[in-house]
Amino acid sequence: MKVIIASSNQHKIQEIAYILQPFRVMSYTEIITECIINEKGTTFEENAIIKAQTVLKALKPHIPTLGIFAVLSDDSGLCVKFLDNKPGILSARYSHQGDDKANLSKLIQELGMHNRDSSPAYFCSALALLNEHMTYTMHGYLHGMVVNTPKGNNGFGYDPIFIPQNTTKTLAEISFEEKNKISHRYKALRHAKVLLKYWQ
Ligand code: ITT
């Protein structure tokens, strides 16, 4: 069973491959060239389905050679209470500069404009898992606080400013292994793993 990830974010792919062990995980870009994906949905779930369906359609000519496979996508982001749940589904495009550092700076700047040093927040990961016959979606959440002082060098995206509930370190200060035992992505992928075991 191959699990083909409909993502071009290498950090996500690494985390998914680690959590889904021993399944064989590969990026769709190992099979075809990168697709243009129009994330026009209004929810994480809609965008996850759009990503997976776009990639499945593009993979069509290769299906006879793929063996048993599933396409898996992840649409994720950070929702910040005192910023009206922004950046949410726009997390990757928050600063309009397309890079993690600029998005993180923009979030800190927005907190300042709302006279806040910190805010309750949560990460959401919506997954779409599909093949030619069925589509499943599942979610995972990680609640905590965002703070205006980045700490740590691990992880990616907003990890340096996110402190999970009942802990004192940011996601960028804990190890890859520790993050992937508690994360929103881990919680959603637990359900995906059960389905994959059933399909294989
Ligand atoms: P693909 O669409 O190709 O999968 P992407 O990075 O554009 O990659 P999203 O549209 O789902 O993915 O945007 C998710 C953004 O949310 C991502 O760029 C990060 O900034 C943030 N994010 C998601 N999960 C995160 C995590 O575990 N840690 C830190 N930031 C995260």
Side-chain angles (χ1 to χ4, degrees):
M1 158 74 101
K2 281 190 197 84
V3 185
I4 301 172
I5 310 299
S7 173
S8 49
N9 181 327
Q10 290 308 316
H11 297 284
K12 272 189 195 177
I13 296 170
Q14 258 188 328
E15 292 188 357
I16 294 169
Y18 175 76
I19 295 164
L20 284 187
Q21 289 178 77
F23 283 99
R24 188 169 157 217
V25 169
M26 60 199 294
S27 167
Y28 78 96
T29 57
E30 291 176 43
I31 308 169
I32 53 174
T33 53
E34 207 167 311
C35 299
I36 295 170
I37 300 178
N38 185 1
E39 290 180 41
K40 58 179 191 295
T42 56
T43 62
F44 290 113
E45 185 175 28
E46 282 174 13
N47 282 333
I49 293 171
I50 290 168
K51 289 181 196 183
Q53 284 179 340
T54 306
V55 167
L56 180 64
K57 200 168 159 199
L59 283 171
K60 274 252 151 79
H62 299 266
I63 286 178
T65 61
L66 288 177
I68 303 176
F69 76 97
V71 174
L72 176 69
S73 66
D74 164 298
D75 196 66
S76 45
L78 181 63
C79 301
V80 179
K81 181 168 179 175
F82 294 148
L83 301 181
D84 299 323
N85 285 326
K86 288 184 189 132
I89 60 167
L90 299 177
S91 291
R93 297 165 268 167
Y94 196 34
S95 66
H96 303 287
Q97 288 176 41
D99 81 272
D100 281 359
K101 270 206 175 131
N103 289 337
L104 196 142
S105 302
K106 159 104 175 154
L107 203 147
I108 292 172
Q109 194 189 331
E110 289 289 327
L111 275 178
M113 283 162 68
H114 287 74
N115 297 315
R116 302 282 184 178
D117 295 339
S118 63
S119 168
Y122 67 89
F123 273 114
C124 172
S125 162
L127 305 178
L129 181 64
L130 54 91
N131 62 21
E132 289 171 284
H133 310 291
M134 43 200 147
T135 301
Y136 288 93
T137 58
M138 47 231 114
H139 290 81
Y141 300 90
L142 180 65
H143 285 266
M145 293 291 283
V146 286
V147 292
N148 64 1
T149 317
K151 280 194 185 149
N153 297 311
N154 300 330
F156 70 101
Y158 299 96
D159 283 347
I161 57 165
F162 186 88
I163 303 175
Q165 224 164 38
N166 306 321
T167 71
T168 52
K169 290 180 179 167
T170 70
L171 284 177
E173 291 180 289
I174 63 174
S175 69
F176 177 82
E177 290 79 9
E178 282 174 297
K179 177 185 172 188
N180 290 302
K181 268 187 224 158
I182 59 166
S183 75
H184 44 302
R185 191 159 292 109
Y186 164 75
K187 289 174 184 165
L189 283 166
R190 270 191 317 205
H191 302 293
K193 211 166 177 178
V194 176
L195 280 168
L196 288 167
K197 282 183 185 153
Y198 182 79
W199 284 0
Q200 75 183 345

